[in-house]
Amino acid sequence: MTVVMCEKKDYTRQSGTGIKSRFHAICLLFLLSCICAGFFCPRAALAADGPKSAVEGIIAAVDNADADAFEKNMDITSVARHVFTELETMGKMPEYSGQMPPILSLLINQNAFTNPVTQEILLSEVRKFVRYGVGSGAFAGKKVENYKGESMMAPLFSLISMGKKEITRIETPVKTEDGRHVVPFAVVDHENGNTYYVRAIVTQEGNSWKITDIQNIRFLIQQILLESAATEA
């Protein structure tokens, strides 16, 4: 399998509105950038203990442009790995395969999401992108000037919404049979105007809590596929 290496560029590279609309479904590849990477709300609202504290820790990290604090509250790699597995499964199902954009179909057909070598490359790129969105202030709607990203796939990521994401509510956690908790919340993407209803899996690690998975990843992928189809219609 051939891996195309792109030159490093600043994520702030501009792309036309038409290009962003045409390739909106590419964000399926890096779904967590839409559903759990960039939440903002007033600091005064941050007062929860327990499972909710992981979500609110992310809010504070994004508000403060603190990528390290963000990773303390969410396992980016674990969430991304689940997204990849779900994408590869759905991409081989007749009801979804025809809806995938060409670049995703290519990666799925070459098993790039589950091949150990290419998966690690893609996971690394996702992590860099999310850390850029947080550390640059982009996900809080207040981008830091001259903040450089390190991804070798910057041209691909530049097609993804970098606008402000905002949590509109965090619901009561529900404990699962394995001792983890599901924390539902809604995210509004202020660039595309869409709302994403997320069910985060939160795990206790010592005295702290961390988002380690997303329970409804397939539902969110389906939603983005429908949005993409509507945009291109």
Side-chain angles (χ1 to χ4, degrees):
M1 174 180 172
T2 301
V3 178
V4 178
M5 309 292 283
C6 304
E7 74 173 302
K8 288 187 178 181
K9 295 185 180 180
D10 182 354
Y11 286 126
T12 58
R13 184 179 68 86
Q14 297 297 313
S15 56
T17 303
I19 294 177
K20 283 191 175 182
S21 296
R22 182 178 179 83
F23 290 95
H24 178 64
I26 288 179
C27 64
L28 286 170
L29 175 57
F30 311 108
L31 188 63
L32 68 163
S33 71
C34 296
I35 63 178
C36 56
F39 313 131
F40 171 83
C41 75
R43 290 189 191 124
L46 304 178
D49 293 320
K52 278 189 178 182
S53 65
V55 179
E56 296 191 342
I58 285 175
I59 294 171
V62 174
D63 188 20
N64 295 319
D66 189 338
D68 291 335
F70 184 93
E71 285 203 271
K72 289 180 181 178
N73 289 279
M74 191 184 86
D75 187 335
I76 298 171
T77 300
S78 176
V79 175
R81 185 175 280 111
H82 186 184
V83 172
F84 289 173
T85 300
E86 197 65 45
L87 278 173
E88 189 145 311
T89 298
M90 293 177 68
K92 294 178 180 179
M93 298 169 66
E95 59 266 43
Y96 299 118
S97 60
Q99 301 177 44
M100 297 288 179
I103 190 169
L104 280 182
S105 295
L106 176 63
L107 291 170
I108 290 167
N109 290 337
Q110 295 184 343
N111 299 313
F113 292 129
T114 53
N115 178 284
V117 175
T118 52
Q119 185 190 72
E120 288 305 311
I121 293 173
L122 293 171
L123 288 172
S124 175
E125 293 303 306
V126 167
R127 180 173 175 271
K128 290 176 183 177
F129 172 73
V130 173
R131 287 183 60 88
Y132 169 79
V134 175
S136 69
F139 287 152
K142 47 185 180 182
K143 182 176 290 187
V144 176
E145 295 298 326
N146 300 318
Y147 187 101
K148 301 294 184 180
E150 299 179 354
S151 173
M152 65 183 180
M153 297 182 180
L156 178 61
F157 282 110
S158 70
L159 301 173
I160 300 173
S161 166
M162 287 293 291
K164 174 182 171 183
K165 315 312 193 262
E166 181 181 6
I167 285 183
T168 56
R169 67 174 182 271
I170 307 173
E171 298 179 5
T172 303
V174 177
K175 191 171 184 178
T176 62
E177 293 182 356
D178 60 4
R180 299 185 298 175
H181 290 74
V182 176
V183 181
F185 57 89
V187 180
V188 177
D189 187 322
H190 287 274
E191 181 168 317
N192 61 31
N194 296 320
T195 299
Y196 303 90
Y197 296 96
V198 181
R199 294 179 60 83
I201 299 292
V202 180
T203 304
Q204 187 169 16
E205 297 186 354
N207 295 322
S208 61
W209 297 83
K210 192 171 190 176
I211 296 175
T212 55
D213 205 350
I214 303 295
Q215 187 182 61
N216 62 328
I217 281 178
R218 180 170 294 193
F219 170 83
L220 291 163
I221 293 175
Q222 291 171 329
Q223 177 181 348
I224 294 173
L225 284 172
L226 290 173
E227 290 170 1
S228 177
T231 298
E232 295 183 1

